[in-house]
């Protein structure tokens, strides 16, 4: 399991500070919502917590180790070993099958889906996509692609899941399903961080960090 600690963390783009003085404890078994109005910097903060962007100031520690200045190799190791991302652009290869998008591996001949087939089936079954394994991911709806992102996190057994607006534009049924899946991952020990303006998802989270308010609940 993984803990991420942010102290006086600042985020920025092209030298411009977006958020500052962020203090957060992201711990196993919890869902933390980063919320605020559009344009407040939710996604930038999420990307910084996930080491996709370098902090502008302050410190970010992963399991007690200062990761603020990690080089690309250390970051890639974190992404490979610990983290899974569910991003607004889905991060999904539309031309590949749903099954491939879970494991992101080909077999040794490069001709079929690689990885652990049983784990792929279980991940797809848990997200209601088991009948779609051999279809191209381009056939999936937006809500199904969000569930595919969660299936990938389940397959990977990621200890940190970072999701950007995972319930955006979903109907009530799909939103409830996404929230249930995320809560299940938290119950199994994952640390989940969400950038969201969805009040239902915020209400389902254990902790809420309101950007600009400099406080968490």
């Amino acid at each position: 399991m993984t803990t991420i600690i942010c102290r006086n963390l600042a985020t920025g783009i092209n030298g411009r500070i977006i958020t500052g003085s962020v203090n957060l404890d992201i711990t196993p078994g919890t869902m933390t919502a980063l919320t605020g109005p559009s344009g407040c910097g939710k996604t930038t903060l999420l990307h910084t917590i996930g080491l996709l962007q370098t902090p502008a100031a302050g410190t970010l520690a992963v399991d007690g180790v200062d990761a603020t200045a990690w080089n690309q190799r250390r970051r890639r190791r974190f992404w490979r070993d610990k983290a899974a991302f569910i991003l607004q652009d889905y991060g999904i290869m539309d031309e590949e099958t749903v099954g491939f998008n879970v494991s992101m591996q080909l077999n040794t001949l490069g001709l079929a889906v690689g990885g652990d087939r049983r784990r792929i089936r279980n991940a797809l079954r848990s997200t209601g996509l088991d009948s779609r394994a051999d279809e191209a991911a381009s056939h999936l709806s937006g809500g199904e692609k969000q569930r595919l992102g969660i299936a990938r996190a389940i397959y990977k057994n990621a200890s940190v899941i970072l999701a950007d607006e995972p319930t955006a534009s979903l109907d009530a049924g799909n939103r409830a399903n996404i929230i249930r899946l995320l809560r299940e991952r938290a119950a199994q020990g994952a640390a989940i961080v969400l950038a969201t303006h969805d009040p239902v998802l915020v209400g389902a989270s254990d902790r809420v960090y309101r950007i600009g308010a400099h406080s968490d609940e």
Side-chain angles (χ1 to χ4, degrees):
M1 299 296 103
T2 298
T3 298
I4 299 174
I5 305 296
C6 304
R7 291 292 177 264
N8 297 314
L9 191 73
T11 70
I13 298 176
N14 297 325
R16 180 172 65 92
I17 298 298
I18 305 297
T19 59
S21 301
V22 174
N23 292 289
L24 270 174
D25 292 6
I26 298 162
T27 55
T30 63
M31 275 174 49
T32 299
L34 312 175
T35 191
S38 296
C40 70
K42 297 186 294 292
T43 296
T44 302
L45 179 55
L46 182 77
H47 287 186
T48 303
I49 291 169
L51 301 180
L52 295 174
Q53 293 180 212
T54 302
T59 61
L60 185 152
V62 176
D63 292 334
V65 178
D66 188 353
T68 312
W70 274 359
N71 59 26
Q72 197 67 10
R73 182 178 180 183
R74 293 289 301 275
R75 289 167 183 263
R76 283 198 298 266
R77 189 183 307 160
F78 169 77
W79 301 329
R80 181 194 68 203
D81 296 343
K82 297 181 180 295
F85 295 89
I86 305 169
L87 303 178
Q88 283 189 10
D89 62 3
Y90 305 128
I92 285 168
M93 300 176 68
D94 280 338
E95 69 279 9
E96 299 291 350
T97 67
V98 169
F100 173 84
N101 272 280
V102 173
S103 68
M104 300 297 286
Q105 297 177 47
L106 292 172
N107 67 10
T108 54
L109 298 177
L111 300 175
V113 176
D116 187 319
R117 302 289 294 187
R118 181 184 60 81
R119 285 170 54 209
I120 292 172
R121 286 195 302 271
N122 288 342
L124 289 173
R125 186 178 301 114
S126 70
T127 53
L129 294 172
D130 45 314
S131 66
R132 314 293 296 275
D134 297 324
E135 289 187 47
S138 60
H139 294 176
L140 300 182
S141 68
E144 288 169 335
K145 286 183 177 180
Q146 296 285 37
R147 281 188 274 150
L148 179 53
I150 296 176
R152 184 185 294 170
I154 292 170
Y155 175 84
K156 189 176 183 179
N157 196 25
S159 59
V160 181
I161 298 174
L162 302 109
D164 190 7
E165 301 287 6
T167 58
S169 304
L170 299 184
D171 59 32
N174 273 316
R175 178 171 62 183
N177 196 26
I178 293 292
I179 292 173
R180 175 185 62 80
L181 290 167
L182 291 170
R183 287 294 343 171
E184 286 177 0
R185 298 315 296 164
Q188 292 173 15
I192 299 176
V193 191
L194 314 161
T196 184
H197 65 274
D198 180 349
V200 177
L201 184 54
V202 170
S205 299
D206 302 297
R207 305 184 68 185
V208 180
Y209 185 86
R210 301 188 187 279
I211 295 175
H214 300 286
S215 66
D216 59 312
E217 303 168 2

